[in-house]
Amino acid sequence: MPYKPSPPSNHRTFSFLLLLFLLFSAANAAGDKKRQRFKEAPKFYNSPNCPTLPPNDDISNSTCSNDSDADNNDDDVSVVHVAMTLDAAYLRGSMAAILSVLQHSSCPENIRFHFVASSAADRDSLRSTLSGSFPYLKFQIYPFDAAAVAGLISTSIRAALDCPLNYARNYLADTLPACVRRVVYLDSDLVLVDDIAKLAATPLPNGAVLAAPEYCNANFTSYFTPTFWSNPSLSLTFAGRRACYFNTGVMVMDLARWRVGAYTEKIVDWMELQKRIRIYELGSLPPFLLVFAGNIAPVDHRWNQHGLGGDNFRGLCRDLHPGPVSLLHWSGKGKPWARLDANRPCPLDALWAPYDLLQTLFVLES
Ligand SMILES: *[C@@H]1O[C@H](CO)[C@@H](O)[C@H](O)[C@H]1NC(C)=O
Ligand SMILES: *[C@@H]1O[C@H](CO)[C@@H](O)[C@H](O)[C@H]1NC(C)=O
Ligand SMILES: *[C@@H]1O[C@H](CO)[C@@H](O)[C@H](O)[C@H]1NC(C)=O
């Protein structure tokens, strides 16, 4: 049948219906976000040779066992402490990351999760979502005063990097209980395919405060502005340091040393300078480089197969870096859950999908 343009009177009706439809879709999309439901994960049990923990080891009332005494910071990892941020936008990623940590751990019952959520977040709802999927998870949720940090953040080239919660990793030493000495910090857009205890046991020799995979072939110069490099009083901060790029999405942190060295203040000092002079373009990463690059303990690259999110501007698919894989990290613009939902996944997104706990129920609701 040939197409006939509608008469003008119908056109107005059509516009009105279209508007109604758009409003309805928008309301529904917002509702879907709130109603994200997650499946229950299986219970994961310790293998027989796992160290037994004191029965009073209970982070839910802010006590924790003395899991490693102050002088032996290296390999005593009877308890593995993991810190992550938690927010509605990345919850699906966080849930997948938690599942992957438990599933590949030989002592999953000895893992303690420390979640940082913005103080405005509905922490009761986050708590019940977590407990719903992981009834046996030992975790604590801490409020993070995003407003206090927001004033310190200068706008970066990627809006997502400006989210105050991205800066929560600067404050872990103050946020977590003092008895937590060593913590593994993990971003929400990653999955582990290896035992986190191995990562947590990374040696931190010579007083190192943190360990992360380093990338000395990356062009370190490009992380800071010409203003920074042309000002000797600033650029001399790297004098005598073999400074290499590292990604802050996977770090082993010695919080006791961090507290003693007041590293939070050192990072904040650089952030305050950045408010006055633009010394870098990206968000939370450069202050970490300024304070720590060249002085960190190395971690094998297998623990951060990064960049799987793809190109920052065009969202292109990326391949794995050569070598073994213990952790897959979808850093970059694209996230696997968004691409899977949009039916435009990258090939490696298939490796994230098995950890997705989101319940896919297609129920028509009115
Ligand atoms: C907190 O932990 C201690 C042991 O460390 C225990 O005696 C106490 O009953 C716990 N309190 C609550 C409220 O669970
Ligand atoms: C943990 O260490 C602190 C200080 O070193 C000590 O006072 C406390 O009794 C220890 N707690 C346990 C349960 O061993
Ligand atoms: C590194 O980056 C800087 C600034 O972006 C640039 O000027 C320089 O040419 C780059 N060096 C190499 C070896 O690519």
Side-chain angles (χ1 to χ4, degrees):
M1 208 172 100
Y3 171 73
K4 271 199 203 152
S6 320
S9 59
N10 277 359
H11 183 81
R12 278 178 62 182
T13 315
F14 174 75
S15 303
F16 179 69
L17 287 174
L18 180 68
L19 180 69
L20 268 186
F21 171 76
L22 288 175
L23 284 173
F24 181 76
S25 313
N28 230 17
D32 278 351
K33 197 153 230 160
K34 267 190 226 135
R35 278 200 304 274
Q36 271 195 344
R37 298 233 187 286
F38 294 93
K39 289 176 271 197
E40 185 175 333
K43 182 172 184 185
F44 297 98
Y45 296 92
N46 276 1
S47 55
N49 51 356
C50 290
T52 38
L53 303 178
N56 65 354
D57 177 72
D58 178 13
I59 58 167
S60 65
N61 70 6
S62 283
T63 65
C64 41
S65 72
N66 297 342
D67 48 285
S68 60
D69 63 74
D71 303 318
N72 171 19
N73 71 312
D74 272 2
D75 302 322
D76 182 4
V77 285
S78 52
V79 176
V80 174
H81 293 283
V82 181
M84 297 177 73
T85 60
L86 212 55
D87 70 349
Y90 277 59
L91 187 56
R92 194 168 160 195
S94 305
M95 301 291 276
I98 298 163
L99 176 60
S100 74
V101 167
L102 297 172
Q103 191 168 317
H104 297 280
S105 165
S106 44
C107 305
E109 296 172 76
N110 293 9
I111 302 176
R112 303 289 176 268
F113 283 88
H114 303 263
F115 297 110
V116 185
S118 88
S119 42
D122 184 352
R123 289 201 297 283
D124 287 339
S125 132
L126 290 172
R127 194 185 314 279
S128 75
T129 301
L130 282 168
S131 306
S133 284
F134 304 103
Y136 312 98
L137 198 71
K138 306 216 172 77
F139 70 94
Q140 176 77 283
I141 303 181
Y142 309 87
F144 176 64
D145 188 0
V149 181
L152 275 172
I153 301 174
S154 63
T155 44
S156 80
I157 52 168
R158 270 173 63 201
L161 297 176
D162 295 328
C163 164
L165 208 50
N166 262 320
Y167 295 80
R169 66 196 95 186
N170 299 0
Y171 300 90
L172 290 178
D174 302 323
T175 310
L176 270 50
C179 56
V180 177
R181 182 188 172 103
R182 176 180 287 225
V183 73
V184 177
Y185 174 81
L186 297 176
D187 271 352
S188 299
D189 51 357
L190 53 78
V191 295
L192 276 80
V193 292
D194 198 352
D195 192 340
I196 195 166
K198 295 187 212 162
L199 175 60
T202 303
L204 291 168
N206 309 320
V209 177
L210 57 89
E214 289 185 282
Y215 304 91
C216 294
N217 292 329
N219 185 351
F220 194 79
T221 310
S222 64
Y223 290 97
F224 301 93
T225 59
T227 310
F228 173 84
W229 292 114
S230 62
N231 185 336
S233 70
L234 300 178
S235 56
L236 272 174
T237 191
F238 290 118
R241 287 158 64 178
R242 188 166 178 268
C244 295
Y245 167 80
F246 64 92
N247 181 288
T248 52
V250 178
M251 295 186 284
V252 180
M253 307 167 82
D254 187 315
L255 298 181
R257 287 177 184 167
W258 183 293
R259 292 175 188 117
V260 169
Y263 287 101
T264 299
E265 286 73 21
K266 289 179 176 143
I267 289 175
V268 167
D269 284 348
W270 285 111
M271 290 170 73
E272 275 168 352
L273 182 65
Q274 166 79 352
K275 290 294 285 182
R276 289 182 275 127
I277 324 168
R278 204 155 179 90
I279 53 174
Y280 51 80
E281 301 295 349
L282 288 169
S284 63
L285 170 72
F288 263 84
L289 296 180
L290 284 160
V291 173
F292 293 111
N295 295 326
I296 68 169
V299 170
D300 192 286
H301 286 189
R302 67 193 302 151
W303 288 104
N304 198 346
Q305 284 272 356
H306 60 109
L308 305 184
D311 186 274
N312 277 355
F313 298 101
R314 286 167 297 164
L316 299 177
C317 292
R318 288 277 180 85
D319 208 348
L320 288 174
H321 307 266
V325 183
S326 292
L327 184 152
L328 298 148
H329 188 185
W330 279 261
S331 54
K333 188 184 165 214
K335 299 303 165 200
W337 54 89
R339 291 194 296 231
L340 287 162
D341 279 356
N343 251 324
R344 286 172 53 201
C346 285
L348 288 174
D349 294 347
L351 299 176
W352 182 86
Y355 302 97
D356 187 11
L357 283 169
L358 189 73
Q359 234 161 22
T360 45
L361 285 176
F362 295 98
V363 182
L364 280 177
E365 289 173 84
S366 52

